[in-house]
Amino acid sequence: MSASNEALIVLAVVASLVGAVSAAAPTTATTLPASSSAGGRAKASDDVKVCQVGYLPRETKFAMVTAPPTGDVTVRRAGDGSVALTVEPGAAARDADSGDEIRPVDFSALTEPGAYYLDVPGVGASHAFAIGDDIFARPFRLAMRSFTGQRCGTRVSLAPDFPDYHYEPCHLADAQYHASTGREGTLPCTGGWHDAGDYGRYVVNSGITTGTLLVAYELNEAKLRQLNLDIPESGGAVPDVLAEIRWNLDWMLKMQDPADGGAWHKATTANFPGMVLPIDDRAPMLIVGTGREPYKTTAATADLAAVAAAAARVYRQFDPAYADRCLSAAERAFAWAKDHPDSHFTRNPQGVSTGGYEDREARDELLWAAAELFRTTGKAEYDQYFLAHYGHWTPPLAGNSAQGWPNVRNLGMYAYALAGRPAASAAAAGKAGPNAEAVGKIRAAALAAADDIVKRIARNGYRMPLGSNEYYWGSNSVVANYAMMLLLANRLAPEPRREYADAAQDALHYLLGRNSFNTSFVTQVGSRWAMRPHHRPSAGDKNEQPWPGLLVGGPNAQRRRDAATRPVPPPARQWVDDQGDYARNENAVNWNAPLVFLLAEALPQAKTPGDGR
Ligand code: 9MR
Ligand code: 9MR
Ligand code: ZN
């Protein structure tokens, strides 16, 4: 990998610019194209960092140079090396989080679509990148289809673009109630997405994941409705993106106890399997509970309520019967969670060691559920619940608090504020609107939060939104979730703000290679990417390349694997492309979801009006 196959990447970029979507990235090495400038193209250098996918024509465009240039930087056309723009690099400044000395190179003036690279005298060339309106189409496809690749209980294949990536149906047996559920017998609960590099299925993490994807769809419906993902459901009545999401929704619904509407916390084996393929994970599947009455959890149940309520709204125009089913599941789940506000999964029971998704606070999940139920039904009951509880968080949204699996209150706030805006579907017509004062407060907080995030991005050497103390497990998802907040703020602003959109793109560029490692954190996207994710199908299959479209966790300054290393690297440097390092290099569905959101927003506007704005 790396610079050696860049020429082919350039060709792929050029090909995709003329409309021929490149499938799998090339894996064989070849020579770089000769440049028309004297001596040909400079050697690629890890000290010249760009977004390895590229930039939209009209956004701000930065590269980061981490060694001293001896002259002005040129942006050159990848085809013939001719100069498209000459730029004087900015002043060097030390970036505290990475320790890198960074000179920003602002080439925003270049807006012409094409394939390019940077030539930095005395340092070297960048990876190739594109400028164009549709350059995020392939990353979107791969990131979205990574969910197809996480499907449980069915034959999986990423053909036609990745025919070598497939596996046989896994985890087909009924799950057994573990003693911690207070129950005996089995629960049929096949389906859903594997959580991450492991094969567990956890309702809490499914909740934020599915909810985020539904928001991505709902806000970008005009772009996504017609999109063909080449999944088994393609061509059916439901748009492909929604069909993929439904795969997991259906599983979540199976995790609801028909007896009372509560949801079980997780379905996993007792322990994590080795790095085997799904079908070789043969240990019994267990439904795991809290070990005491009422055994199911508030967080899982309220998350299910939120997601099913959103689904009832989004799927109604395509499948009204399904929407009805989702709505009734959501209402029952909300009622259960409200009646059992403190049933928390705080630790695994004896003999179980899979992911915990422990949470001692479910007010945020309940708030999110109430907001989604209100947005879908307009019922006073849910409005009143929301209004009685949202004041617990002041301000309602904050620029230093991104949503994440343990904290979904942001999703509740945005959902409530968005309830007032014309719905993409006609379903909300005639429903009561949200409380104007609450919407005003949420909107003000959303914009203030976005302003704070923009400021942090401008101060950060790599123009990314993390605070210095936010390099923890899954930090890349925090990057994406902050960027999502910027784009959601734009949906609430009277007029969308260019600076929010630009800053969100900055965060995306960090994930796609414009970072201290000069490496894309998304597998098979960019020119050089994480090659060894802690992802069992990637580890267990015969392909040299990892499964495509997976966002790895990223730098994590906590729980260091080698606590003895001195000096301790700066936080933004604490990532390694090591399959064993699950705290830094695993994928997870809740990390891929906000990536999908950013990529959906970066897709070109649909030709038809009415994308729900
Ligand atoms: O492989 C597991 C990974 O998917 C989880 O995210 C991680 C943390 O819960 O745990 C990994 O499993 C490790 C286990 O916790 C301890 N023994 C080694 C396992 C890694 O192969
Ligand atoms: O993403 C989770 C992270 O926030 C936690 O700190 C970590 C340890 O509890 O667990 C992460 O989630 C893992 C889950 O427990 C098991 N499947 C893989 C998830 C990603 O590593
Ligand atoms: Zn499975």
Side-chain angles (χ1 to χ4, degrees), residues 553-574:
N556 176 4
Q558 299 169 343
R559 306 209 215 185
R560 296 176 42 71
R561 279 222 305 168
D562 178 8
T565 305
R566 290 288 182 272
V568 172
R573 291 287 313 167
Q574 297 198 30

Side-chain angles (χ1 to χ4, degrees), residues 195-196 198 202 355 357 405 473 559 586 591:
D195 184 56
D198 67 319
Y202 309 83
Y357 290 112
W405 65 261
W473 196 320
R559 306 209 215 185
E586 188 165 356
W591 305 340

Side-chain angles (χ1 to χ4, degrees), residues 152-153 170-171 194 278:
C152 187
C170 53
H171 307 110
H194 298 139

